[in-house]
Amino acid sequence: MPRLASEGVVGADAIFACLGPALEIFSRYSSVEKASGELVTLKEYLEYVWAAVSKEALSMIFSNADTTSFEEDARFTAMWLWTLSTGNIDNSDTSETETDDEDDETSSKTSKTGGYTLEFDAARKIAQGLGAHLEQLTRLVEVKGSTARLLPVSERTQYLFGKEEAQTPSKTKGKKGKKKEAEQLNLFAVLGITEEEDNTDWGEKTVPQMGSTTLDRIHQSMILFAAGRSEALKRFLVEEGAGNDQRFWGLAQALSGLYPTGTDEKRWVDGVLARKKGLGF
């Protein structure tokens, strides 16, 4: 896997490049057995191969990190995005990236991807290789027929913030004029919020209840950033303690390199990372 990556072969291409040699080894023998003498079927063997490939890919994605400390939803999301990638992963530190708070926090547009799709069987194998169960990840994945879709962060808002909280935001008005107001309305359209529901200081006076996993907490931070709720984001990271967990920043950095350039998720996670140093982390 490292050799393939060094030559620019990553994602699905790298995974399937490993399957050929694995099958060649298996096919040398009339039968393959465990130490107990139990026969190993080709299907079971390929599951072991997927597990080995997943483990190696994760060690590359999370450079110098103990991947066993990440929950299964984080490992699964990273592997999914890596499988879809077509170029080298950018692991450069974006925590000191210069951003314009006003422009970046309140600007957005409809997701270009509408999620990240894979064939169901490929998604199932990724989950299986990581010891996860696709059918138990309904808050993260949508399955329709032979296609599985990793949900974009915007579609997780209601789950991450709760129905009432997700439906009662307000837009930032004033200094930037009609253009800024239109951008903010576009953001709320992405978040599934109507203008009629936009009548309170959502997210600015209160912070969400911290998600149960590191990935959930990163997604909550990304949404607060996207909605322009700077104070709520600061309280969530500092006072509520979401930013005190080093896994948070390690996973956020990996996701920054995995999300495709130009997507909302890439912009939002970079915005969160840009506040790391300023907040004392």
Side-chain angles (χ1 to χ4, degrees), residues 103-124:
D103 289 341
D104 287 349
E105 286 181 357
T106 58
S107 65
S108 179
K109 55 185 176 180
T110 303
S111 173
K112 296 177 180 179
T113 61
Y116 306 91
T117 60
L118 283 173
E119 290 185 359
F120 171 78
D121 194 51
R124 180 187 61 79

Side-chain angles (χ1 to χ4, degrees), residues 16-33:
F16 288 107
C18 292
L19 295 181
L23 287 171
E24 182 181 355
I25 295 171
F26 187 87
S27 64
R28 291 176 188 171
Y29 308 96
S30 58
S31 64
V32 176
E33 301 176 355

Side-chain angles (χ1 to χ4, degrees), residues 117-251:
T117 60
L118 283 173
E119 290 185 359
F120 171 78
D121 194 51
R124 180 187 61 79
K125 288 176 179 176
I126 289 175
Q128 199 168 46
L130 296 172
H133 300 282
L134 199 60
E135 63 275 10
Q136 296 176 3
L137 297 171
T138 56
R139 299 293 189 181
L140 197 62
V141 179
E142 178 186 68
V143 177
K144 287 187 176 180
S146 60
T147 300
R149 184 172 71 104
L150 185 69
L151 297 176
V153 175
S154 60
E155 290 187 26
R156 305 194 71 219
T157 303
Q158 183 170 320
Y159 164 69
L160 294 170
F161 286 81
K163 182 177 181 181
E164 182 178 353
E165 184 75 8
Q167 291 186 346
T168 57
S170 65
K171 58 179 176 287
T172 302
K173 296 182 180 179
K175 298 180 180 179
K176 294 293 182 176
K178 292 183 178 180
K179 181 179 179 180
K180 181 60 63 181
E181 183 173 329
E183 290 174 344
Q184 193 71 30
L185 287 174
N186 286 339
L187 169 63
F188 292 143
V190 171
L191 300 182
I193 298 157
T194 65
E195 188 171 4
E196 289 74 15
E197 294 166 332
D198 174 22
N199 54 15
T200 70
D201 292 328
W202 172 80
E204 200 60 72
K205 294 181 179 178
T206 60
V207 295
Q209 180 177 350
M210 292 218 316
S212 59
T213 69
T214 307
L215 181 69
D216 283 349
R217 293 191 285 275
I218 289 174
H219 284 177
Q220 287 173 317
S221 298
M222 290 165 64
I223 293 168
L224 287 174
F225 170 84
R229 306 313 193 207
S230 299
E231 287 304 313
L233 176 59
K234 180 179 178 180
R235 287 197 293 275
F236 184 69
L237 293 174
V238 179
E239 296 174 21
E240 295 298 318
N244 292 330
D245 186 350
Q246 287 306 306
R247 294 180 304 171
F248 179 96
W249 300 108
L251 178 57

Side-chain angles (χ1 to χ4, degrees), residues 32-51:
V32 176
E33 301 176 355
K34 298 180 181 179
S36 63
E38 180 184 356
L39 287 176
V40 177
T41 65
L42 178 58
K43 180 180 179 181
E44 184 179 7
Y45 174 74
L46 287 175
E47 289 173 0
Y48 282 116
V49 173
W50 270 86

Side-chain angles (χ1 to χ4, degrees), residues 1-21 53 56 60 82 87-88:
M1 293 289 284
R3 181 172 62 83
L4 289 169
S6 69
E7 297 180 8
V9 181
V10 296
D13 290 341
I15 290 174
F16 288 107
C18 292
L19 295 181
V53 170
E56 186 62 36
M60 294 164 56
W82 188 83
N88 290 325

